[in-house]
Amino acid sequence: MLKMTNIRKVFNEGTVNEKTALDGVSLTVKDGDFVTIIGSNGAGKSTLFNCIGGSFYPDEGSIFLDNQNITYMPEHKRAVEIGRLFQDPMKGTAPHMTIEENLALAYLRVSKKKSVFSRVSNADREMFRERLSLLNMGLEDRMKQPVGLLSGGQRQALTLLMATLVMPKILLLDEHTAALDPATAEKVLALTKKTVEENHLACLMITHNMHSALEMGNRTLMMDSGKIVLDISGEERAGLTVDGLLEKFSAGAGKALDNDRILFSKVE
Ligand SMILES: Nc1ncnc2c1ncn2[C@@H]1O[C@H](COP(=O)(O)OP(=O)(O)O)[C@@H](O)[C@H]1O
Ligand SMILES: [Mg+2]
């Protein structure tokens, strides 16, 4: 469903600040694959997502989504097929608009109703209410309230709902629970799991939590210095412990993992 071949991305080429963020990354994601991604700081994880999402184009290589070459497709065009969540709960929603208005915008953006005169119908509004109630956060009774009043966890849950109001082909989650307190992060992760599994979505999730990386999804990638140094699934992954994963990382990267947040998550 997603196929990337030999993706290279260099920032500030030819200057003292030159940085190869992606160094020939190839990756094939199958329908229904839920891939967790973990890696050192600056490994190129977010850059990988930015290339898939179209925030910028790779310098080399190509990206196919369901056999369509999207390598140079403008970001707003591919946004319909690619749902994204970021670490910052403020990023996905407009704080001064109500929950209902945020949902309406998200819906009009991806639904077939594309004209500037498009309005959401009462039936759409009822659908929003139903979908909100599935979050179990009581948000269905707060549809007229500005999103700015919600907690970080509620905003991330709402952003997840907005990204999947019309199902995208693939969901990209960039440490989307890292800014939340542990209990809220757990809730949003459970909701993520439910949404992805029930809809058989393809999903890539960057996390700094080694437990989540192993517990969620069916496949784990580890990145270092712009490369995928480990790609495990099936039996190899099934019995793996956090320590085992760290060992595999060292073997693959030729050095120990140097991300304090990840190492800290070992004991969380
Ligand atoms: N827009 C940018 N301009 C310049 N350098 C960047 C930019 N985005 C990322 N980088 C650099 O590319 C490398 C990879 O960054 P990133 O993909 O954000 O890492 P990760 O998400 O794995 O921590 C880092 O060295 C980072 O400083
Ligand atoms: Mg990042």
Side-chain angles (χ1 to χ4, degrees):
M1 74 110 29
L2 178 75
K3 191 170 162 65
M4 311 180 79
T5 42
N6 219 8
I7 298 293
R8 243 181 102 72
K9 180 73 195 176
V10 181
F11 290 109
N12 306 312
E13 194 158 9
T15 73
V16 288
N17 294 321
E18 180 169 310
K19 175 80 202 176
T20 304
L22 293 175
D23 191 3
V25 169
S26 294
L27 174 67
T28 302
V29 178
K30 295 200 231 62
D31 281 333
D33 252 357
F34 184 169
V35 185
T36 60
I37 304 175
I38 201 155
S40 24
N41 282 324
K45 304 178 295 295
S46 297
T47 303
L48 183 74
F49 278 17
N50 284 329
C51 286
I52 301 171
S55 309
F56 42 64
Y57 302 141
D59 299 321
E60 284 173 37
S62 49
I63 308 171
F64 284 82
L65 188 61
D66 276 349
N67 295 321
Q68 186 182 17
N69 189 336
I70 60 163
T71 318
Y72 302 109
M73 181 188 277
E75 184 171 21
H76 69 273
K77 282 205 177 149
R78 63 178 107 174
V80 179
E81 320 275 15
I82 301 173
R84 290 187 81 175
L85 262 75
F86 300 89
Q87 181 171 334
D88 184 356
M90 305 299 158
K91 221 168 172 172
T93 43
H96 300 297
M97 293 169 70
T98 66
I99 292 179
E100 183 179 304
E101 286 164 345
N102 272 276
L103 283 164
L105 266 188
Y107 187 57
L108 291 176
R109 197 160 54 216
V110 295
S111 69
K112 302 283 178 284
K113 305 177 176 180
K114 286 250 169 74
S115 141
V116 285
F117 303 110
S118 297
R119 303 281 294 270
V120 290
S121 65
N122 282 337
D124 294 335
R125 213 164 280 130
E126 204 36 53
M127 183 268 285
F128 296 164
R129 182 183 298 281
E130 266 179 53
R131 296 286 297 271
L132 278 169
S133 71
L134 294 176
L135 302 180
N136 279 321
M137 291 177 164
L139 298 184
E140 66 277 16
D141 298 323
R142 300 174 63 183
M143 285 174 67
K144 301 286 183 200
Q145 288 184 16
V147 162
L149 295 180
L150 304 186
S151 69
Q154 289 169 334
R155 279 182 81 155
Q156 279 307 57
L158 178 63
T159 310
L160 180 65
L161 175 54
M162 283 162 62
T164 53
L165 209 46
V166 173
M167 287 302 154
K169 285 188 175 155
I170 190 163
L171 193 58
L172 306 179
L173 311 171
D174 193 344
E175 305 209 33
H176 69 306
T177 62
L180 308 176
D181 65 80
T184 313
E186 257 332 293
K187 263 193 186 171
V188 174
L189 281 179
L191 190 64
T192 304
K193 195 162 180 267
K194 182 166 172 269
T195 307
V196 171
E197 284 174 1
E198 284 181 359
N199 298 288
H200 308 288
L201 278 175
C203 176
L204 303 181
M205 181 178 91
I206 299 170
T207 174
H208 72 276
N209 187 306
M210 308 244 293
H211 298 286
S212 312
L214 286 176
E215 279 160 19
M216 298 198 38
N218 63 313
R219 179 176 170 194
T220 298
L221 302 181
M222 290 193 96
M223 289 186 69
D224 183 59
S225 305
K227 291 193 165 85
I228 295 173
V229 295
L230 197 70
D231 181 351
I232 48 170
S233 54
E235 272 183 30
E236 185 188 12
R237 181 177 185 266
L240 204 58
T241 59
V242 163
D243 284 326
L245 186 61
L246 278 173
E247 270 169 37
K248 278 189 185 290
F249 178 87
S250 308
K255 62 171 196 209
L257 186 69
D258 61 356
N259 185 329
D260 288 344
R261 278 172 62 220
I262 292 180
L263 295 175
F264 186 65
S265 83
K266 265 181 72 167
V267 294
E268 265 175 20

